[in-house]
Amino acid sequence: MLKGAMEAMSETNRNQLTPEQEKKVKEQLQLIRRGVVEIVPEDELRDKIIQSVITGNPLKVKLGLDPSAPDIHVGHTVVLQKLRQFQEFGHQVQLIIGDFTGRIGDPTGKSETRKQLSEEDVKRNAETYRKQIFKILDPEKTKVYFNSEWLQPLHFADVVQLAAKVTVARMLERDDFSKRYSTGQAIHIHEFFYPLMQGYDSVALESDIELGGTDQKFNLLMGRTLQKEYGKEPQVAIMTPLIEGLDGVNKMSKSLGNYIGIDEEPNEIYGKSMSIPDELMLKYYELATDISNEELEALRKGLADGSIHPRDAKMRLAATFVRLFHGEEAAKEAERHFVTVFQQRALPEDIAEAQLPAAELENGSIRVIKLLVALGLQSSNGEARRSVQQGAVRWNEVKIEDPNAELTVKDGDIIQVGKRKFAKVKLV
């Protein structure tokens, strides 16, 4: 009955559109579809946008985040940029910090039960998320919720009623659960509650749309299922792709070290961006920046016909990321730093001083490995040794190739590791 009413309303809405409104609907759909893997169902998305354009009421667009890791990287920003696009069309983002669901942990992609986070861990990580997310989202068009607001007060009878909405067979359709079940690995009952609770978030907030990566499809569709069960208009699920990291192979991940953190220093972001594989540049532009469709198409054509050099396109991408996360001035300065250090092969002018206790020296000298660790340029002797062996260490612009080399140290000496780490020695 609900579906029939929606179809009738949809046809009425289409007939009421003025040419200007039709243009607005087309613009929204064109940008929202960009870089999206799947929309379930797409006709309902159009209907919701039509209704919003006619009534002037913004759509409620949901994203749930479990604060299981404290930092955001460019891979996370794919869905955040899509949310920003909705905001630019006047819609309202519902950002849900899963302080309650985070105590269970999303089983997506996991071959075993996840370790439960403490309440303190969740709160600390959530605060970091909030600070970083608004580097991309408009805080005026974002409502931040903690899902403990509606999940914590549920009585056991409410939980039983919620659990009765979905069968075990439906839960085992989920790839992670089915694989674990077929191989005899443990699935704990509380893990079944994760998608139920995420879906109930959509019921509680009456979300119109929910976004997530392709790995979140089961959870997003659970929200749609539960809204129907509770007699509410079902949300549309929009799935965005997972983006490869700097290695060009694996999904961007901090644990794999192939990431660009949005809270990293501008020079670090710029330098890392310049190592993005050429064949992935357009994907990064399309999914993780605010470039317009027209600019993206011009860039695509320019790279194809040779009128735009890949290096120039990558420098623009690097500057775009720094601008998005640190501002226009930081982007200009990071570009100047890159050109000075890497294209002109000169030392940067603003190398930070690093204090070295004179007690670390023996007859005025110190082993290069010990020096790297003492100055905080490397985290361990093993890491320092590998950097030297790989030819990544320079002392006053001279490459050091012997891990056992003894360096005579004086104030103002410059040591460099790789392309982005510099320190000026200050004896104390």
Side-chain angles (χ1 to χ4, degrees):
M1 186 171 181
L2 178 62
K3 182 179 179 182
M6 286 180 61
E7 288 175 348
M9 178 185 67
S10 169
E11 187 60 34
T12 301
N13 285 346
R14 286 194 182 97
N15 293 334
Q16 290 177 351
L17 286 176
T18 66
E20 183 63 28
Q21 289 172 332
E22 183 65 47
K23 180 181 178 182
K24 289 181 179 179
V25 171
K26 185 178 180 180
E27 287 175 350
Q28 291 193 37
L29 286 171
Q30 186 179 38
L31 188 55
I32 290 166
R33 287 184 184 125
R34 174 176 127 183
V36 165
V37 174
E38 189 176 6
I39 301 173
V40 182
E42 187 161 347
D43 60 333
E44 287 186 19
L45 173 64
R46 176 179 170 82
D47 291 343
K48 288 177 182 288
I49 290 175
I50 288 172
Q51 187 177 7
S52 174
V53 168
I54 290 174
T55 63
N57 295 326
L59 295 174
K60 292 175 287 187
V61 188
K62 170 193 168 190
L63 175 67
L65 291 174
D66 273 347
S68 56
D71 290 304
I72 295 174
H73 56 61
V74 165
H76 297 126
T77 69
V78 173
V79 69
L80 295 177
Q81 287 294 347
K82 188 59 61 181
L83 287 173
R84 178 72 189 205
Q85 290 168 8
F86 273 102
Q87 288 183 327
E88 288 170 356
F89 290 122
H91 301 301
Q92 186 76 44
V93 166
Q94 298 173 322
L95 190 65
I96 301 174
I97 303 294
D99 61 327
F100 199 87
T101 45
R103 297 177 202 175
I104 293 178
D106 186 358
T108 300
K110 300 299 176 183
S111 59
E112 58 185 24
T113 302
R114 265 185 128 166
K115 179 183 176 183
Q116 295 184 46
L117 295 174
S118 69
E119 189 172 353
E120 291 72 26
D121 289 335
V122 169
K123 287 181 178 179
R124 182 175 59 253
N125 293 347
E127 188 56 36
T128 303
Y129 267 137
R130 291 183 71 171
K131 290 178 181 176
Q132 295 181 7
I133 278 167
F134 290 123
K135 290 189 175 187
I136 297 172
L137 297 182
D138 180 351
E140 296 299 318
K141 298 177 183 176
T142 306
K143 289 187 177 180
V144 179
Y145 301 88
F146 289 82
N147 64 5
S148 60
E149 293 176 28
W150 50 86
L151 292 175
Q152 185 89 39
L154 290 178
H155 296 292
F156 196 74
D158 300 320
V159 176
V160 171
Q161 183 185 30
L162 174 61
K165 305 291 186 185
V166 182
T167 66
V168 171
R170 174 70 188 280
M171 284 294 187
L172 290 178
E173 290 175 4
R174 183 176 175 142
D175 191 51
D176 329 89
F177 289 150
S178 63
K179 286 180 180 177
R180 285 160 63 182
Y181 182 74
S182 64
T183 57
Q185 291 178 284
I187 304 173
H188 292 81
I189 294 297
H190 77 281
E191 293 182 90
F192 281 167
F193 279 99
Y194 184 91
L196 286 175
M197 290 191 295
Q198 180 171 331
Y200 191 78
D201 292 345
S202 297
V203 174
L205 294 180
E206 299 184 336
S207 305
D208 295 303
I209 297 168
E210 182 172 10
L211 270 64
T214 51
D215 58 344
Q216 289 291 313
K217 182 175 181 178
F218 186 92
N219 292 340
L220 271 57
L221 294 181
M222 183 60 69
R224 182 175 168 82
T225 296
L226 291 179
Q227 284 176 318
K228 290 179 182 178
E229 289 288 335
Y230 281 92
K232 298 180 182 295
E233 183 179 324
Q235 66 185 20
V236 171
I238 298 180
M239 275 71 75
T240 56
L242 306 178
I243 198 167
E244 297 89 346
L246 301 179
D247 56 7
V249 177
N250 298 296
K251 181 181 78 169
M252 185 174 287
S253 166
K254 193 169 184 180
S255 62
L256 294 176
N258 64 351
Y259 72 102
I260 302 171
I262 74 169
D263 214 32
E264 292 186 276
E265 291 298 317
N267 290 346
E268 189 75 2
I269 292 173
Y270 197 103
K272 282 186 173 183
S273 300
M274 292 301 295
S275 67
I276 294 171
D278 286 358
E279 61 272 17
L280 285 178
M281 264 198 300
L282 285 172
K283 186 173 185 179
Y284 274 75
Y285 267 113
E286 179 180 39
L287 299 177
T289 77
D290 57 357
I291 188 174
S292 69
N293 283 338
E294 293 75 20
E295 290 174 302
L296 180 63
E297 187 56 31
L299 184 62
R300 195 188 308 276
K301 288 180 179 178
L303 288 169
D305 64 22
S307 60
I308 297 177
H309 194 286
R311 181 201 61 239
D312 297 332
K314 199 174 293 185
M315 289 180 68
R316 179 183 173 185
L317 178 61
T320 298
F321 281 142
V322 178
R323 172 180 58 78
L324 286 171
F325 309 144
H326 290 285
E328 190 67 45
E329 283 305 310
K332 292 177 181 177
E333 182 55 40
E335 183 163 281
R336 282 195 293 267
H337 178 273
F338 180 83
V339 170
T340 300
V341 176
F342 304 120
Q343 291 189 346
Q344 299 178 4
R345 296 194 177 278
L347 291 174
E349 297 178 358
D350 57 346
I351 299 175
E353 283 190 342
Q355 295 186 345
L356 178 69
E360 296 282 352
L361 304 179
E362 186 173 339
N363 297 322
S365 299
I366 187 173
R367 284 180 64 199
V368 62
I369 290 175
K370 184 178 179 182
L371 177 63
L372 289 169
V373 176
L375 295 179
L377 294 173
Q378 304 279 256
S379 61
S380 67
N381 287 341
E383 184 182 30
R385 179 178 294 277
R386 285 191 296 273
S387 293
V388 175
Q389 291 172 337
Q390 293 166 2
V393 177
R394 290 179 175 272
W395 177 248
N396 293 326
E397 300 190 73
V398 177
K399 184 185 292 185
I400 304 297
E401 299 178 334
D402 180 7
N404 297 311
E406 293 278 342
L407 304 177
T408 301
V409 181
K410 63 183 183 301
D411 278 342
D413 283 331
I414 305 295
I415 190 162
Q416 175 184 350
V417 182
K419 295 180 178 180
R420 296 186 290 276
K421 292 183 179 180
F422 297 86
K424 182 184 295 184
V425 178
K426 175 65 176 178
L427 293 171
V428 292

